[in-house]
Amino acid sequence: GCESELSTAQQAQLDTILAQGASEGIAFFQASGDTGPDECLNSNAVGVDFLSADPHVVAVGGTSYPQGGTETYWYTNTSIAGGYGTSTVFQAPTYQLPLGLSMRSVPDVSADADYATGYAEYCYSGGLCSGWEESGGTSAATPLWAGLAADINTYLNDIGRPTLGTASALLYQIGYNQSPYAAYHDITSG
């Protein structure tokens, strides 16, 4: 839910649970939402999803990546777009300070979320749908990142290293490192 829809006690309880999980090596991923900066539609306010804003969570946004094209921010119309924004609850975590932020900003990473360029899925639900269809949204992009984390964690386990845990901090660290081959690219259009 939206940050403004949760009480301070609920926010503290969820953050404690997420912090404990991260300290135990669990990496959490949360979709940033599919309505641009308007994740608080129920409260008629602009805001971000509480879980994606928590610093112990990797917030996954949406892009559009047409075959053979350039990856851009996913924006279909004013009510269908990759979620983004700034938390009103959490200060910028240490890993976002080099960006000059004072409050936590989301998303951290993104992947293709456009229904026109996204994922093929097979659906059969008693006549409601049948066959292959295109799927998308940040809820489709998020499992992609979680799968990447699972692959990384398998490798780290195999070589006797700690798993990702608070994955955001490590993902930012990789992004800040200078190397001949950039780990990420900024999405600056769309």
Side-chain angles (χ1 to χ4, degrees):
C2 179
E3 286 181 318
S4 63
E5 294 171 350
L6 299 173
S7 70
T8 303
Q10 290 171 317
Q11 293 172 354
Q13 184 178 26
L14 285 168
D15 183 56
T16 299
I17 292 167
L18 294 167
Q20 178 180 339
S23 72
E24 294 172 3
I26 300 169
F28 296 100
F29 292 82
Q30 171 69 24
S32 66
D34 298 344
T35 54
D38 299 326
E39 281 306 299
C40 301
L41 294 176
N42 293 338
S43 61
N44 295 320
V46 173
V48 296
D49 175 82
F50 177 81
L51 288 177
S52 66
D54 191 287
H56 303 292
V57 173
V58 178
V60 181
T63 62
S64 180
Y65 203 179
Q67 188 173 6
T70 301
E71 190 172 20
T72 60
Y73 169 67
W74 172 47
Y75 176 87
T76 302
N77 59 45
T78 56
S79 62
I80 302 174
Y84 68 90
T86 303
S87 174
T88 59
V89 174
F90 297 104
Q91 292 187 343
T94 305
Y95 57 81
Q96 284 191 332
L97 292 178
L99 300 172
L101 301 172
S102 59
M103 299 299 286
R104 168 88 164 107
S105 182
V106 299
D108 299 303
V109 294
S110 294
D112 194 353
D114 190 334
Y115 285 84
T117 63
Y119 307 88
E121 69 179 16
Y122 190 83
C123 178
Y124 180 78
S125 179
L128 295 176
C129 59
S130 181
W132 290 99
E133 52 188 48
E134 291 286 326
S135 178
T138 58
S139 293
T142 301
L144 175 67
W145 272 98
L148 292 169
D151 286 344
I152 293 167
N153 282 341
T154 298
Y155 172 74
L156 292 172
N157 272 330
D158 288 349
I159 62 170
R161 303 286 301 271
T163 57
L164 289 175
T166 302
S168 289
L170 294 173
L171 293 173
Y172 275 84
Q173 184 179 4
I174 291 167
Y176 294 142
N177 286 340
Q178 298 294 319
S179 72
Y181 304 101
Y184 313 112
H185 61 275
D186 287 333
I187 305 299
T188 58
S189 64

